[in-house]
Amino acid sequence: MSNITDDMKVEYIDNAIQKLNTYAKEDSLKDLISILEALKQDPHNESLSAKLTDTWRNLGVYQGTVLTYVPDFYTLIPDDIFGDNLKK
């Protein structure tokens, strides 16, 4: 039996996918959307979560596009969304 927070996360991921597919047509976002679609099917997959974070951090200026249409996208990234606190 899934718990309610799992359902809300899947619903949120689906909403993010829909908004990005509708409003953000940039080719640079295709990998991000693909990972979100896989994560929607398996929201507890740590490997997908890590891949989402890595893909997000490599979007460059397109991070702004994502945040324009999905302002609380940061809730899908398990740690520091911009990587400011990464060890160097």
Side-chain angles (χ1 to χ4, degrees), residues 11-35:
E11 182 179 313
Y12 178 75
I13 293 170
D14 187 49
N15 185 41
I17 293 167
Q18 296 306 316
K19 285 182 179 179
L20 292 173
N21 279 330
T22 301
Y23 302 110
K25 306 277 187 194
E26 289 83 358
D27 286 339
S28 299
L29 299 178
K30 286 182 180 180
D31 287 342
L32 183 77
I33 293 168
S34 176
I35 295 166

Side-chain angles (χ1 to χ4, degrees), residues 35-55:
I35 295 166
L36 286 171
E37 288 171 344
L39 200 54
K40 181 177 125 179
Q41 300 303 316
D42 188 3
H44 299 292
N45 185 315
E46 291 180 24
S47 174
L48 286 173
S49 184
K51 193 172 182 181
L52 178 69
T53 299
D54 185 54
T55 301

Side-chain angles (χ1 to χ4, degrees), residues 51-69:
K51 193 172 182 181
L52 178 69
T53 299
D54 185 54
T55 301
W56 163 258
R57 289 199 176 127
N58 289 307
L59 281 179
V61 297
Y62 292 105
Q63 287 178 338
T65 302
V66 173
L67 292 174
T68 296
Y69 299 111

